[in-house]
Amino acid sequence: MELELGVLWAAIVFYVLGGSLAILSVVLKKRPERTVLALLATGLALHTLALGVRWERVGHGPFITMFEILSSNIWSLTVAFLLAYWRIPQVRPAAAVVMPILFVMMGWLMLTHPGEGHFPPTYRTVWLYIHIGFGKVFLGAVLVAVGISGVILLRSAGIGVEKFSPLPDSGRLDELSFRLMAVGLIFETLMLVAGAIWAQDAWGRYWAWDPLETWAFLTWLAVAFAIHARLTFKTQPQTGAIMIVAVFVLAFLTFFGVPFISTSPHKGAV
Amino acid sequence: MQVRIEAALKALASLKLTLVILVALAAGIVVSYNSEVRTTWALVVPLVLFAANLAAAVATNGIFRRQTALLVFHLALITIVLLVAAGRLTYLKGQLELAEGETFSGFLKQQEAGPFHWSRLDRISFVNEGFRIQYAPGVRRGRTENVVAWQDGSGQWQRGVIGDQDPLVLRGYRFYTSFNKGFAPTFLWHARGGGEPQFGTIHLPSYPIHEYRQALEWQPPGSRQTLWTQLQFDEVILDPERPSEFRLPRDHTLVVRAGGERRELQPGDRLELPDGTLEYRGLRSWMGYTVFYDWTLPWLFAACAVAVGSLGWHFWGKFSARPWDQ
């Protein structure tokens, strides 16, 4: 366990260095983007190693305890942001919004007990991996959308207007963020469908309105509402950005809050 | 008249109404989730409105004639709502228990069903032939492997292993093993008036959840005598310190209390009662099952696949016109 935690803390050091540099580059209007990419990619490689070592040690993937759920989501969100940072140079300054969110999650991870949990027999199915994988893509897409929305909101509040000047205008950012929401809607839908297939075989019912199912469906409705409202009312970028932040808050509470208010996120899991 | 119908359809097809319905559906979910009593209406009303809104939009909005993917997506959504409704009207969910060697006779211990469920459980027959469940240290349940035998459509007996994610599917009914299982003392009841002795089992409370409550009150068939029966054994079946497997105890005693009399029985022992003789035949295991029937499952899956596919197709067409990094 010490090796795995040592590697994980090293990964977090690289994440913090890369993320801080990304934020500083926005504030100081510098462009150390290759260094940021290298630091984040190194952190990601170390994090992958830490997850792999734990997987090998405990015999199951990082899906059970809050420590594992947080760690695997920090990993997947970093992958999502790193891909966006690498492939869409326009959104790089959104790091000033995305990285603080990831830092909060990393701080939470460091305060969480790294003990093991029981992997129930109902989790031994390929649908678990498919369900969780789709969920991670959804949250990753929404996180990048939130980063972009944060820039729109900061700009509209008159904060960092000059610092964010290399970014496209807010109209284009709004379009980009809603593209990501559309990707999010597809993967949230896939997550719900894969989860229903898993639930049918694991617990003999495809839907039972357990806390996680309920909040995941409310999140789906919120995403559908945001996309529909933007189309219907041709909303301003600020309004769209507020809706995206609201969706992210709801999704974040669903992913990380429900396990706190319910002793068994999916009833029958044990 | 036609003008009025068209105006009503257009009003029903409104995108603004869609937003109101989405909010109403979310509110209905929250109400149902927090309600102590059944509040199906809170979900049904918004879903009916949702289906009507989508259908009206498809009928009146010209965009669906120009964008096939969007049309397919909305039709798939309507289909999903209709299939869910059909499923809720015809579903069945229930629980049953079978001792080792016992044949399912169509009797469910508990059940709930839609108003239009036409039960065919009496045509289903399968036998519980025993199970294996490994436990990890800490009494952590592993995979369930339950051997079952059933009659196929041609009347031939088949055997297979079910458990956890692998149900037994017969005539659309899906039988799943549950985490409920335990010990089942078996008896022969010889009624005082003569006739064929009756064989039966009692299912003691689920093990290991009710490890320290392995007792049950029951009445032999046709008897007014209430018997209190307790299974006693000293050995540790599921060791918290090391891997183990669910099994019957090697040595056990069955304590039976009838009125003021207390007897300790071993297999083969008999207990004389005012209206008959109870013969203890030995100990078996029992397995709890859940049964689920919903004919819409494959159609729902297909409709969901079409919905996601067409949504992806729609967005792909929309976004490919302009690259992400421009």
Side-chain angles (χ1 to χ4, degrees), chain A residues 138-139 141-143 145-146 149 178 180-181 184-185 188 215 218-227 240-255:
Chain A
F138 158 70
L139 201 62
V142 178
L143 178 79
V146 160
S149 299
F178 270 91
L180 288 158
M181 291 298 280
L185 180 66
E188 166 88 346
W215 286 99
L218 287 172
T219 307
W220 186 90
L221 284 177
V223 178
F225 180 92
I227 292 174
I242 289 168
M243 289 194 293
I244 288 172
V245 171
V247 166
F248 180 73
V249 170
L250 191 55
F252 195 88
L253 288 175
T254 301
F255 272 65

Side-chain angles (χ1 to χ4, degrees), chain A residues 86-145:
Chain A
W86 174 40
R87 300 301 302 167
I88 318 172
Q90 293 171 321
V91 305
R92 284 175 182 169
V97 179
V98 170
M99 290 318 297
I101 296 171
L102 289 176
F103 289 167
V104 169
M105 291 177 70
M106 287 172 204
W108 188 2
L109 175 68
M110 293 177 83
L111 295 172
T112 307
H113 192 272
E116 298 164 34
H118 171 49
F119 193 72
T122 46
Y123 278 45
R124 295 184 193 283
T125 163
V126 68
W127 286 105
L128 170 73
Y129 300 89
I130 297 171
H131 169 64
I132 288 176
F134 287 147
K136 288 189 186 310
V137 178
F138 158 70
L139 201 62
V142 178
L143 178 79
V144 180

